[in-house]
Amino acid sequence: MAIVGAEYCDPEERVLTVRKTSHFSPGDGFAAYDHRTGRLAFRADTYGRGHGGGAASAGELALLGPAGEPLLTVRRRRPSLHQRWEGFLGARAGGQKPLFSARRSSILGGAAAGAVVELLPPPSSSPPPGAAPELLRVDGSFARRCCRVVAAPRAEGEKAKLVAEIRRKVDEGTRVVMGRDVFVLKVSPGFDAAFAMGIVLVLDQIAGEEPGADDAGADALDAKIW
């Protein structure tokens, strides 16, 4: 499922260790490292400031590759009661159509509000008449670093498919659960890891550090994923 690019779709499960790089405000920065190689895979920093390193303009979020190349730009759509966000390929240019839109599942918010992501057709193509949009749903609580991203069934009889999962990071030596500033992103085989990181950026803005996002029950995620 290539959204940003086929090169980000690994045939095997890809595990990223994601570290929040700033505490000044929710979403100031992230660095994601590949579990197999230990190398930097993605980063998101200086967005919303409009300077350096391929950063987005003020009010936008930029997902960058390890060399600073812009992969995705995410911005909040205003006005929006559900905190609706749009994602664009690369460094967004004027008039560019979004790749996807995302919104909070519930207008009431809360630590476990979840989110819905809708994939949008490319500008050069039109969906068949009556075709349902491809939807992804985030179940659980990103604020607690315990949630799943699942693809909605496209046809009768199909099941929802797990495409990515966010979990708390456990120190392999001491078996101690680390703080929420370091977590694990597991990307299912064939799913676009850059797109998964784009969803993380949106979730950080939608959920952030919501009041009540304590550690209690962080591992108790409902088995039903749709």
Side-chain angles (χ1 to χ4, degrees):
M1 188 177 186
I3 305 300
V4 179
E7 63 269 35
Y8 304 110
C9 301
D10 200 299
E12 300 178 354
E13 181 184 67
R14 189 173 186 186
V15 180
L16 299 172
T17 296
V18 185
R19 179 171 61 90
K20 200 174 177 79
T21 58
S22 176
H23 300 277
F24 292 108
S25 63
D28 257 6
F30 287 101
Y33 299 87
D34 190 280
H35 183 74
R36 290 195 296 261
T37 66
R39 296 177 180 174
L40 179 69
F42 306 103
R43 63 184 177 92
D45 55 13
T46 69
Y47 49 67
R49 293 170 174 77
H51 67 274
S57 302
E60 297 182 344
L61 292 70
L63 177 70
L64 311 175
E69 65 276 24
L71 303 179
L72 276 176
T73 301
V74 180
R75 70 170 184 178
R76 185 172 179 177
R77 183 176 178 180
R78 299 179 184 276
S80 174
L81 295 177
H82 283 265
Q83 284 204 40
R84 185 178 294 274
W85 291 75
E86 295 176 324
F88 302 82
L89 186 64
R92 187 181 70 87
Q96 184 179 351
K97 299 297 184 181
L99 288 174
F100 67 91
S101 68
R103 62 175 175 81
R104 192 203 306 263
S105 297
S106 170
I107 194 173
L108 299 178
V116 175
V117 181
E118 179 181 344
L119 299 180
L120 304 176
S124 58
S125 66
S126 300
E134 190 159 358
L135 297 177
L136 304 175
R137 179 168 175 169
V138 181
D139 291 328
S141 170
F142 176 78
R144 296 190 178 114
R145 309 300 190 250
C146 182
C147 58
R148 293 170 172 172
V149 183
V150 294
R154 298 297 304 276
E156 187 176 352
E158 288 186 0
K159 294 183 179 180
K161 181 181 179 181
L162 176 68
V163 295
E165 185 174 12
I166 295 168
R167 288 286 184 179
R168 297 282 292 275
K169 176 75 173 179
V170 178
D171 185 275
E172 295 180 0
T174 62
R175 306 303 300 171
V176 173
V177 178
M178 302 180 72
R180 287 194 296 268
D181 291 330
V182 181
F183 58 93
V184 173
L185 171 64
K186 293 183 178 181
V187 183
S188 298
F191 192 73
D192 193 315
F195 178 47
M197 273 301 301
I199 294 175
V200 168
L201 298 188
V202 173
L203 291 177
D204 185 62
Q205 294 296 310
I206 290 178
E209 299 300 333
E210 294 268 8
D214 52 35
D215 293 338
D219 295 321
L221 181 65
D222 193 338
K224 183 179 179 182
I225 60 175
W226 192 263

